[in-house]
Amino acid sequence: HVQLVESGGGSVQAGGSLRLSCGSSSGHTGRMYCMAWFRLAPGKERGGVVALASDGSTWYADSVKGRFTISKDDLKDTLYLQMKSPKPEDTAMYYCAADFGTCGGSWYWPLLYNYWGQGTQVTVS
């Protein structure tokens, strides 16, 4: 059973920085072919922020390119999202998602992922 747990959310000023973490149970991050961050803002649909494939390939939403960075530490069994220069429009609940299947052109499609965390709130002011 795969469990994902996000942490690191909170309030941050625009232009600051914040790092989100997503811990996985039982050493799963190293075996996940595709891991991603999604976000859900009030009045909007859940949207893909960034995805990371097991071969190191990454896909970023245009809105966060150059500001957010995804990384993974398999020894710590943790996925990260480094947020630099966040903007008020980045305010949302952020979710970690993962799957044993591949990423690719559909990385931003929530149905691609079978495993989800409970979310961590990020508020940018």
Side-chain angles (χ1 to χ4, degrees), residues 1 12 32 99 101:
H1 180 64
V12 62
M32 290 291 184
D99 200 80

Side-chain angles (χ1 to χ4, degrees), residues 49-111:
V49 178
V50 58
L52 171 67
S54 58
D55 65 356
S57 298
T58 56
W59 295 263
Y60 287 88
D62 288 342
S63 60
V64 305
K65 282 181 181 177
R67 299 188 299 118
F68 292 8
T69 303
I70 191 171
S71 62
K72 187 172 66 165
D73 187 333
D74 290 335
L75 292 179
K76 294 183 178 180
D77 211 16
T78 303
L79 180 75
Y80 300 101
L81 179 65
Q82 180 69 53
M83 305 171 64
K84 293 183 179 179
S85 300
K87 304 175 182 179
E89 51 263 44
D90 294 320
T91 294
M93 184 72 80
Y94 283 73
Y95 296 89
C96 172
D99 200 80
F100 292 107
T102 58
C103 297
S106 300
W107 69 270
Y108 52 87
W109 193 30
L111 292 179

